[in-house]
Coordinates of all heavy atoms in Angstrom, one line a residue:
M1 N 98.8 124.5 132.6 CA 97.7 125.0 132.2 C 97.4 126.5 132.4 O 97.6 126.8 133.7 CB 96.5 124.1 132.6 CG 95.1 124.3 132.0 SD 93.9 123.6 132.8 CE 94.3 121.9 132.6
N2 N 96.9 127.1 131.6 CA 96.6 128.6 131.8 C 95.4 128.7 132.8 O 94.6 127.9 132.8 CB 96.3 129.3 130.6 CG 97.5 129.6 129.7 OD1 98.6 129.3 130.1 ND2 97.3 130.1 128.4
K3 N 95.5 129.7 133.6 CA 94.4 129.9 134.7 C 93.9 131.4 134.5 O 94.6 132.2 134.1 CB 94.9 129.8 136.0 CG 95.4 128.3 136.4 CD 95.8 128.2 137.8 CE 96.5 126.9 138.2 NZ 95.6 125.7 137.9
T4 N 92.7 131.5 134.9 CA 92.0 132.8 134.9 C 91.5 133.0 136.3 O 90.9 132.2 136.9 CB 90.9 133.0 134.0 OG1 91.3 132.6 132.6 CG2 90.3 134.3 134.1
V5 N 91.9 134.2 136.9 CA 91.4 134.5 138.3 C 90.3 135.5 138.2 O 90.6 136.7 137.7 CB 92.5 135.0 139.2 CG1 92.0 135.3 140.5 CG2 93.6 134.0 139.2
L6 N 89.1 135.3 138.6 CA 87.9 136.3 138.6 C 87.9 136.7 139.9 O 87.6 136.0 141.0 CB 86.7 135.6 138.0 CG 86.7 135.0 136.6 CD1 85.3 134.4 136.4 CD2 87.0 136.0 135.7
V7 N 87.9 138.0 140.1 CA 87.7 138.7 141.4 C 86.5 139.6 141.3 O 86.5 140.5 140.5 CB 88.8 139.6 141.8 CG1 88.7 140.2 143.2 CG2 90.2 138.8 141.8
C8 N 85.4 139.2 141.9 CA 84.1 139.9 141.8 C 84.2 141.4 142.2 O 84.8 141.7 143.3 CB 83.1 139.3 142.6 SG 81.5 140.1 142.5
Q9 N 83.8 142.3 141.3 CA 83.8 143.7 141.6 C 82.5 144.3 141.6 O 82.2 145.4 141.5 CB 84.7 144.4 140.5 CG 86.1 144.0 140.5 CD 86.9 144.4 141.7 OE1 87.0 145.6 142.0 NE2 87.3 143.4 142.4
N10 N 81.5 143.4 141.8 CA 80.1 143.9 141.9 C 79.9 144.5 143.3 O 80.7 144.3 144.2 CB 79.1 142.9 141.4 CG 77.9 143.5 140.9 OD1 77.5 144.6 141.2 ND2 77.2 142.8 139.9
R11 N 78.6 145.0 143.6 CA 78.4 145.7 144.7 C 78.7 145.0 146.0 O 79.4 145.7 147.0 CB 76.8 146.2 144.7 CG 76.6 147.2 145.8 CD 75.2 147.8 145.5 NE 74.3 147.1 144.6 CZ 73.1 147.4 144.3 NH1 72.5 148.4 144.8 NH2 72.4 146.6 143.5
A12 N 78.1 143.9 146.2 CA 78.2 143.3 147.6 C 79.7 142.9 147.9 O 80.3 143.1 149.0 CB 77.4 142.0 147.6
C13 N 80.4 142.5 147.0 CA 81.8 142.1 147.1 C 82.7 143.5 147.3 O 83.6 143.6 148.0 CB 82.3 141.3 145.9 SG 81.8 139.6 146.0
K14 N 82.2 144.5 146.5 CA 83.0 145.7 146.6 C 82.9 146.4 147.9 O 83.9 146.9 148.6 CB 82.4 146.8 145.6 CG 83.4 147.6 145.0 CD 83.2 148.0 143.7 CE 84.5 148.6 143.0 NZ 84.5 148.7 141.7
I15 N 81.7 146.2 148.7 CA 81.6 146.7 149.9 C 82.6 146.0 151.0 O 83.1 146.5 151.9 CB 80.2 146.5 150.4 CG1 79.3 147.5 149.7 CG2 80.0 146.6 151.9 CD1 77.7 147.3 149.9
S16 N 82.8 144.6 150.6 CA 83.8 144.0 151.6 C 85.2 144.1 151.2 O 86.0 143.3 151.5 CB 83.3 142.6 151.6 OG 83.3 141.9 150.4
G17 N 85.5 145.0 150.2 CA 86.9 145.4 149.8 C 87.5 144.6 148.8 O 88.6 144.4 148.6
S18 N 86.7 144.3 147.7 CA 87.1 143.6 146.5 C 88.1 144.3 145.7 O 88.9 143.7 144.9 CB 86.0 142.9 145.8 OG 85.3 144.0 145.2
T19 N 88.0 145.7 145.8 CA 89.0 146.4 144.8 C 90.5 146.2 145.3 O 91.3 145.9 144.4 CB 88.6 147.8 145.0 OG1 87.3 148.1 144.5 CG2 89.6 148.7 144.1
A20 N 90.6 146.1 146.6 CA 92.0 145.9 147.1 C 92.4 144.5 146.9 O 93.7 144.3 146.7 CB 92.0 146.2 148.6
V21 N 91.5 143.5 146.9 CA 91.9 142.1 146.6 C 92.2 142.0 145.1 O 93.3 141.4 144.8 CB 90.7 141.2 146.9 CG1 90.9 139.8 146.5 CG2 90.3 141.3 148.3
L22 N 91.6 142.6 144.2 CA 92.0 142.6 142.8 C 93.4 143.2 142.7 O 94.2 142.7 142.0 CB 90.9 143.4 142.0 CG 91.1 143.5 140.5 CD1 91.3 142.3 139.9 CD2 90.1 144.5 139.8
Q23 N 93.5 144.4 143.3 CA 94.8 145.1 143.2 C 96.0 144.2 143.8 O 97.0 144.1 143.2 CB 94.8 146.4 143.8 CG 94.0 147.4 143.2 CD 93.7 148.7 144.0 OE1 94.0 148.7 145.3 NE2 93.3 149.7 143.4
A24 N 95.8 143.4 144.8 CA 96.7 142.5 145.4 C 97.1 141.4 144.3 O 98.2 141.1 144.3 CB 96.3 142.0 146.6
F25 N 96.0 140.8 143.7 CA 96.4 139.9 142.6 C 97.1 140.5 141.5 O 98.1 139.8 141.0 CB 95.1 139.3 142.1 CG 94.5 138.0 142.9 CD1 93.5 138.2 143.7 CD2 95.3 136.8 142.9 CE1 92.9 137.1 144.5 CE2 94.6 135.7 143.7 CZ 93.6 135.9 144.5
Q26 N 96.7 141.6 141.2 CA 97.4 142.3 140.0 C 98.8 142.7 140.2 O 99.6 142.9 139.4 CB 96.6 143.6 139.6 CG 95.4 143.2 138.9 CD 94.3 144.4 138.6 OE1 94.3 145.3 139.3 NE2 93.6 144.2 137.6
A27 N 99.2 142.7 141.5 CA 100.6 143.1 141.9 C 101.5 142.0 141.5 O 102.7 142.2 141.4 CB 100.7 143.4 143.3
Y28 N 100.9 140.7 141.3 CA 101.8 139.7 140.9 C 101.7 139.5 139.5 O 100.8 139.7 138.8 CB 101.3 138.2 141.5 CG 101.5 138.2 143.1 CD1 100.4 138.7 143.9 CD2 102.6 137.7 143.6 CE1 100.7 138.6 145.2 CE2 102.9 137.5 145.0 CZ 101.8 138.1 145.8 OH 101.9 137.9 147.2
S29 N 102.9 139.1 138.9 CA 102.9 138.8 137.5 C 103.3 137.2 137.3 O 104.4 136.9 137.7 CB 103.9 139.6 136.7 OG 104.0 139.2 135.4
I30 N 102.2 136.5 137.0 CA 102.4 135.1 137.0 C 102.2 134.5 135.5 O 101.2 134.7 135.0 CB 101.4 134.3 137.9 CG1 101.5 135.0 139.3 CG2 101.8 132.8 138.1 CD1 100.3 134.7 140.1
P31 N 103.3 133.9 135.0 CA 103.1 133.4 133.7 C 101.8 132.5 133.5 O 101.6 131.6 134.3 CB 104.4 132.6 133.4 CG 105.4 133.2 134.4 CD 104.6 133.6 135.5
G32 N 101.1 132.6 132.5 CA 99.9 131.8 132.2 C 98.8 132.1 133.0 O 97.7 131.4 133.0
V33 N 98.7 133.2 134.0 CA 97.6 133.5 134.7 C 97.2 134.9 134.4 O 97.9 135.8 134.3 CB 98.1 133.5 136.2 CG1 96.8 134.0 137.1 CG2 98.5 132.1 136.7
T34 N 95.8 135.0 134.2 CA 95.1 136.3 133.8 C 94.2 136.5 135.0 O 93.6 135.8 135.4 CB 94.3 136.1 132.5 OG1 95.1 135.5 131.5 CG2 93.7 137.3 132.2
V35 N 94.3 137.8 135.4 CA 93.5 138.2 136.6 C 92.5 139.3 136.0 O 92.9 140.2 135.2 CB 94.4 139.0 137.6 CG1 93.4 139.5 138.7 CG2 95.4 137.9 138.2
I36 N 91.2 139.0 136.3 CA 90.2 139.9 135.8 C 89.2 140.3 136.9 O 88.9 139.5 137.8 CB 89.3 139.1 134.7 CG1 90.1 138.6 133.6 CG2 88.1 139.8 134.3 CD1 89.4 137.7 132.6
G37 N 88.8 141.6 137.0 CA 87.7 142.1 137.8 C 86.5 141.6 137.1 O 86.2 142.1 136.0
S38 N 85.6 140.9 137.8 CA 84.4 140.2 137.0 C 83.1 141.1 137.6 O 83.1 141.7 138.8 CB 84.3 138.8 137.4 OG 83.8 138.5 138.6
G39 N 82.0 140.7 137.0 CA 80.7 141.1 137.4 C 80.3 140.1 138.5 O 81.2 139.2 139.1
C40 N 79.1 140.2 139.0 CA 78.6 139.4 140.1 C 78.8 137.8 139.8 O 78.4 137.4 138.7 CB 77.3 139.7 140.4 SG 76.5 138.7 141.7
L41 N 79.3 137.2 140.7 CA 79.5 135.7 140.6 C 78.4 134.9 141.2 O 78.5 133.6 141.4 CB 80.9 135.3 141.1 CG 82.1 135.9 140.5 CD1 83.4 135.6 141.3 CD2 82.3 135.4 139.0
A42 N 77.3 135.5 141.6 CA 76.1 134.9 142.1 C 76.3 134.2 143.4 O 75.7 133.2 143.7 CB 75.5 133.9 141.0
Q43 N 77.3 134.7 144.2 CA 77.5 134.2 145.6 C 77.6 135.3 146.5 O 78.3 135.2 147.5 CB 78.9 133.4 145.6 CG 79.0 132.2 144.5 CD 78.0 131.1 144.8 OE1 77.7 130.8 146.0 NE2 77.6 130.4 143.8
C44 N 76.7 136.3 146.3 CA 76.8 137.5 147.2 C 76.6 137.3 148.6 O 75.9 136.3 149.0 CB 75.6 138.5 146.7 SG 75.6 138.7 145.0
G45 N 77.3 138.1 149.4 CA 77.1 138.0 150.9 C 78.1 137.1 151.5 O 78.0 136.7 152.7
N46 N 79.1 136.6 150.8 CA 80.2 135.8 151.4 C 81.5 136.5 151.3 O 82.5 135.7 151.0 CB 80.2 134.5 150.5 CG 79.0 133.6 150.7 OD1 78.7 133.1 151.8 ND2 78.0 133.5 149.8
G47 N 81.6 137.7 151.4 CA 82.7 138.5 151.4 C 83.2 138.5 149.9 O 82.5 138.3 149.0
T48 N 84.4 138.9 149.7 CA 85.0 138.9 148.3 C 85.1 137.5 147.8 O 85.8 136.7 148.3 CB 86.2 139.7 148.3 OG1 86.1 141.1 148.7 CG2 86.9 139.7 146.9
M49 N 84.4 137.4 146.7 CA 84.5 136.0 146.0 C 85.4 136.1 144.9 O 85.6 137.0 144.1 CB 83.2 135.7 145.3 CG 82.0 135.5 146.4 SD 82.2 134.1 147.4 CE 82.6 132.8 146.5
V50 N 86.3 135.0 144.9 CA 87.3 134.7 143.8 C 87.1 133.4 143.3 O 86.8 132.4 143.9 CB 88.7 134.9 144.5 CG1 89.8 134.4 143.5 CG2 89.0 136.1 145.1
L51 N 87.1 133.3 141.9 CA 86.8 132.1 141.3 C 88.0 131.7 140.3 O 88.4 132.6 139.6 CB 85.6 132.1 140.5 CG 85.3 130.9 139.4 CD1 85.2 129.6 140.2 CD2 83.9 131.2 138.6
I52 N 88.6 130.6 140.5 CA 89.8 130.3 139.6 C 89.3 129.2 138.6 O 88.8 128.2 138.9 CB 91.0 129.7 140.6 CG1 91.2 130.5 141.7 CG2 92.2 129.4 139.7 CD1 92.3 131.3 141.8
L53 N 89.6 129.5 137.4 CA 89.3 128.7 136.2 C 90.5 128.2 135.6 O 91.6 128.8 135.7 CB 88.5 129.5 135.2 CG 87.1 130.1 135.7 CD1 86.5 131.0 134.7 CD2 86.3 128.9 136.2
P54 N 90.6 127.0 134.9 CA 89.4 126.2 134.6 C 89.0 125.3 135.7 O 87.9 124.6 135.4 CB 89.9 125.5 133.4 CG 91.3 125.2 133.5 CD 91.8 126.5 134.3
E55 N 89.6 125.2 136.7 CA 89.3 124.1 137.7 C 88.1 124.5 138.5 O 87.6 123.6 139.4 CB 90.5 123.8 138.6 CG 91.1 125.0 139.4 CD 92.3 125.6 138.7 OE1 92.0 126.0 137.5 OE2 93.3 125.8 139.3
E56 N 87.6 125.7 138.4 CA 86.3 126.0 139.2 C 86.5 125.9 140.8 O 85.6 125.3 141.4 CB 85.1 125.4 138.8 CG 84.6 125.8 137.4 CD 83.2 125.2 137.0 OE1 82.5 125.2 137.8 OE2 83.2 124.7 135.8
I57 N 87.6 126.5 141.2 CA 87.7 126.4 142.7 C 87.4 127.9 143.1 O 87.9 128.9 142.5 CB 89.3 126.2 143.0 CG1 89.7 124.8 142.6 CG2 89.5 126.5 144.5 CD1 89.2 123.6 143.5
W58 N 86.6 128.0 144.2 CA 86.1 129.2 144.8 C 86.7 129.4 146.0 O 86.9 128.6 146.8 CB 84.5 129.1 145.0 CG 83.7 128.8 143.8 CD1 83.5 127.7 143.2 CD2 82.9 129.8 143.1 NE1 82.6 127.8 142.2 CE2 82.2 129.1 142.1 CE3 82.6 131.1 143.4 CZ2 81.3 129.8 141.2 CZ3 81.7 131.8 142.5 CH2 81.0 131.1 141.5
Y59 N 87.0 130.8 146.3 CA 87.4 131.2 147.6 C 86.4 132.4 148.0 O 86.0 133.2 147.2 CB 88.8 131.9 147.5 CG 89.9 130.8 147.3 CD1 90.4 130.7 146.0 CD2 90.3 130.0 148.2 CE1 91.3 129.7 145.7 CE2 91.4 129.0 147.9 CZ 91.8 128.9 146.8 OH 92.8 127.9 146.5
S60 N 86.0 132.4 149.2 CA 85.2 133.4 149.8 C 85.8 134.2 150.9 O 86.9 133.7 151.4 CB 83.9 132.8 150.4 OG 84.2 131.9 151.4
Q61 N 85.3 135.3 151.3 CA 85.9 136.1 152.3 C 87.4 136.5 152.1 O 88.2 136.4 153.0 CB 85.7 135.4 153.7 CG 84.4 134.8 154.0 CD 83.4 136.0 154.5 OE1 83.9 137.2 154.7 NE2 82.1 135.7 154.7
V62 N 87.6 136.7 150.8 CA 89.1 136.8 150.5 C 89.5 138.3 150.9 O 88.7 139.2 150.5 CB 89.5 136.4 149.1 CG1 91.0 136.8 148.7 CG2 89.0 135.1 148.7
S63 N 90.6 138.4 151.6 CA 91.2 139.7 151.9 C 92.5 139.9 151.1 O 93.0 138.8 150.8 CB 91.3 139.9 153.4 OG 92.5 139.2 153.8
P64 N 93.0 141.0 151.1 CA 94.3 141.2 150.4 C 95.4 140.5 151.1 O 96.3 139.9 150.5 CB 94.6 142.7 150.6 CG 93.3 143.3 150.7 CD 92.4 142.3 151.4
D65 N 95.2 140.2 152.5 CA 96.2 139.3 153.2 C 96.2 137.9 152.7 O 97.1 137.2 153.1 CB 95.9 139.4 154.8 CG 96.2 140.7 155.3 OD1 96.9 141.6 154.6 OD2 95.8 140.9 156.4
N66 N 95.1 137.4 152.2 CA 95.0 136.1 151.7 C 95.6 135.8 150.3 O 95.8 134.7 150.1 CB 93.5 135.6 151.7 CG 92.8 135.7 153.0 OD1 91.6 136.1 152.9 ND2 93.3 135.3 154.1
V67 N 95.8 136.8 149.6 CA 96.2 136.7 148.3 C 97.5 136.0 148.1 O 97.7 135.1 147.1 CB 96.2 138.1 147.6 CG1 96.8 138.0 146.2 CG2 94.7 138.6 147.5
K68 N 98.5 136.3 149.0 CA 99.8 135.7 148.8 C 99.7 134.3 148.8 O 100.4 133.5 148.1 CB 100.8 136.2 149.8 CG 102.1 135.7 149.8 CD 103.1 136.2 150.7 CE 104.4 135.7 150.4 NZ 105.4 136.0 151.5
A69 N 98.9 133.6 149.8 CA 98.8 132.2 149.9 C 98.1 131.6 148.6 O 98.6 130.4 148.1 CB 98.0 131.8 151.1
I70 N 97.1 132.2 148.2 CA 96.5 131.7 146.8 C 97.4 131.7 145.7 O 97.4 130.8 144.9 CB 95.2 132.6 146.6 CG1 94.2 132.3 147.8 CG2 94.6 132.0 145.3 CD1 93.0 133.3 147.7
V71 N 98.2 132.7 145.7 CA 99.2 132.9 144.5 C 100.2 131.8 144.7 O 100.6 131.0 143.8 CB 99.8 134.4 144.5 CG1 101.0 134.3 143.6 CG2 98.7 135.3 144.0
E72 N 100.8 131.7 145.8 CA 102.0 130.8 146.0 C 101.6 129.3 145.9 O 102.4 128.5 145.4 CB 102.7 131.2 147.4 CG 103.3 132.5 147.5 CD 104.4 132.8 146.4 OE1 105.0 131.9 146.0 OE2 104.6 134.0 146.2
Q73 N 100.4 129.0 146.5 CA 100.1 127.6 146.6 C 99.2 127.2 145.4 O 99.5 126.2 144.8 CB 99.3 127.3 147.8 CG 100.2 127.4 149.1 CD 99.4 127.1 150.3 OE1 98.7 126.0 150.4 NE2 99.5 127.9 151.3
H74 N 98.2 128.0 145.1 CA 97.3 127.6 144.0 C 97.8 127.8 142.7 O 98.0 127.0 141.8 CB 95.9 128.1 144.3 CG 94.9 127.6 143.5 ND1 93.4 127.5 143.8 CD2 94.8 127.1 142.1 CE1 92.9 127.0 142.9 NE2 93.7 126.7 141.8
L75 N 98.2 129.2 142.4 CA 98.4 129.6 141.0 C 99.9 129.2 140.6 O 100.1 128.9 139.5 CB 98.3 131.2 141.0 CG 96.9 131.7 141.3 CD1 96.9 133.1 141.2 CD2 95.9 131.0 140.3
R76 N 100.9 129.1 141.6 CA 102.2 128.8 141.2 C 102.4 127.2 141.3 O 103.1 126.6 140.6 CB 103.2 129.4 142.1 CG 103.2 131.0 141.8 CD 104.6 131.5 142.3 NE 104.6 132.9 142.6 CZ 104.9 133.8 141.7 NH1 105.1 133.4 140.4 NH2 104.8 135.1 142.0
K77 N 101.7 126.5 142.3 CA 102.0 125.1 142.6 C 100.8 124.2 142.2 O 100.8 123.0 142.5 CB 102.5 125.0 144.0 CG 103.7 125.7 144.3 CD 104.3 125.3 145.8 CE 105.5 126.2 146.1 NZ 105.7 126.3 147.5
D78 N 99.7 124.8 141.9 CA 98.5 124.1 141.6 C 97.9 123.3 142.8 O 97.3 122.3 142.7 CB 98.8 123.1 140.4 CG 97.8 123.1 139.3 OD1 96.9 123.9 139.4 OD2 97.9 122.4 138.4
K79 N 98.1 123.8 143.9 CA 97.6 123.1 145.1 C 96.6 124.1 145.9 O 97.1 125.1 146.5 CB 98.7 122.9 146.0 CG 99.5 121.8 145.7 CD 100.5 121.4 146.9 CE 101.5 120.3 146.2 NZ 102.8 120.3 146.8
P80 N 95.2 124.0 145.6 CA 94.3 124.9 146.2 C 94.5 125.0 147.7 O 94.9 124.0 148.4 CB 92.9 124.3 145.9 CG 93.3 123.4 144.7 CD 94.6 123.0 144.9
V81 N 94.2 126.2 148.3 CA 94.4 126.5 149.7 C 93.2 126.0 150.3 O 92.2 126.7 150.6 CB 94.7 127.9 150.1 CG1 95.0 128.1 151.5 CG2 95.7 128.5 149.1
E82 N 93.2 124.7 150.7 CA 92.0 124.0 151.1 C 91.3 124.6 152.3 O 90.0 124.7 152.3 CB 92.3 122.5 151.6 CG 92.7 121.6 150.4 CD 91.6 121.4 149.3 OE1 90.4 121.6 149.7 OE2 92.0 121.1 148.2
S83 N 92.0 125.2 153.3 CA 91.4 125.8 154.4 C 90.6 127.0 154.0 O 89.8 127.5 154.7 CB 92.5 126.3 155.4 OG 93.4 127.2 154.8
M84 N 90.8 127.6 152.8 CA 90.0 128.8 152.3 C 89.0 128.6 151.3 O 88.3 129.4 150.9 CB 91.1 129.8 151.9 CG 92.0 130.4 153.0 SD 93.3 131.4 152.3 CE 92.5 132.4 151.1
V85 N 89.0 127.3 150.8 CA 88.1 127.0 149.6 C 86.7 127.2 150.1 O 86.3 126.6 151.2 CB 88.4 125.6 149.2 CG1 87.2 125.1 148.2 CG2 89.7 125.5 148.4
Y86 N 85.8 127.8 149.3 CA 84.4 127.9 149.5 C 83.7 126.8 148.9 O 83.9 126.7 147.5 CB 84.1 129.3 148.9 CG 82.6 129.6 148.9 CD1 81.9 129.9 149.9 CD2 81.9 129.7 147.6 CE1 80.5 130.1 149.9 CE2 80.6 130.0 147.5 CZ 79.9 130.2 148.7 OH 78.5 130.5 148.8
K87 N 82.9 126.1 149.6 CA 82.1 125.0 148.9 C 80.8 125.7 148.5 O 80.0 126.2 149.2 CB 81.8 123.9 149.9 CG 83.0 123.5 150.7 CD 83.8 122.6 149.8 CE 84.9 122.0 150.6 NZ 86.1 121.6 149.8
T88 N 80.5 125.6 147.2 CA 79.3 126.1 146.7 C 78.2 124.9 146.8 O 78.7 123.8 147.0 CB 79.3 126.5 145.2 OG1 79.5 125.4 144.4 CG2 80.5 127.5 145.0
K89 N 77.0 125.3 146.5 CA 75.9 124.1 146.5 C 76.2 123.1 145.3 O 75.6 122.1 145.2 CB 74.6 124.7 146.5 CG 74.3 125.6 145.2 CD 72.9 126.2 145.4 CE 72.7 127.2 144.3 NZ 71.6 128.0 144.4
Y90 N 77.1 123.6 144.4 CA 77.4 122.8 143.3 C 78.5 121.8 143.5 O 78.8 121.0 142.7 CB 77.6 123.6 142.1 CG 76.5 124.6 141.8 CD1 76.7 126.0 142.0 CD2 75.3 124.2 141.3 CE1 75.8 126.9 141.8 CE2 74.3 125.1 141.2 CZ 74.5 126.5 141.5 OH 73.5 127.4 141.3
S91 N 79.4 122.1 144.5 CA 80.6 121.3 144.7 C 80.4 120.2 145.6 O 79.4 120.2 146.4 CB 81.7 122.2 145.1 OG 81.5 122.9 146.3
Ligands
FES101 S1 78.5 140.8 144.3 FE1 80.1 139.5 144.4 S2 79.2 137.6 144.1 FE2 77.6 138.9 143.9

């Protein structure tokens, strides 16, 4: 199934380094995966927020060092990195 990775590029996330996180995702070329720099994901203050669709799995406090694990486990093998998953009030 095709996936979309949203990496928040709005102010609060940008302060915590979301530009570098977006670049780290863009460095990978994964068939069926689209990486987008998004507007605010309404979870401000939790570090760089990343949302993976269509499954609606959230990651918070994402740094460039975390991107490899998300790519290898979640995007390539469809296994969310449970230790890094952010629980929203909706989940
Ligand atoms: S600025 Fe990133 S979630 Fe709001």
Side-chain angles (χ1 to χ4, degrees):
M1 185 188 299
N2 288 354
K3 294 186 190 301
T4 301
V5 179
L6 299 179
V7 183
C8 179
Q9 297 296 296
N10 211 332
R11 192 167 16 176
C13 289
K14 212 144 200 172
I15 289 168
S16 56
S18 64
T19 302
V21 173
L22 177 62
Q23 289 169 345
F25 275 107
Q26 289 172 330
Y28 291 88
S29 176
I30 310 161
V33 174
T34 304
V35 176
I36 297 173
S38 79
C40 179
L41 295 171
Q43 303 293 330
C44 314
N46 293 293
T48 295
M49 291 301 306
V50 172
L51 172 60
I52 313 258
L53 299 173
E55 56 266 53
E56 289 191 43
I57 298 287
W58 297 77
Y59 294 101
S60 61
Q61 308 282 355
V62 178
S63 74
D65 290 347
N66 302 139
V67 169
K68 185 176 183 192
I70 296 171
V71 168
E72 297 299 338
Q73 292 181 49
H74 190 149
L75 300 178
R76 291 198 202 277
K77 297 182 184 159
D78 228 2
K79 292 183 183 151
V81 186
E82 292 295 342
S83 60
M84 292 169 51
V85 167
Y86 171 73
K87 308 284 186 209
T88 71
K89 58 187 173 185
Y90 309 108
S91 60

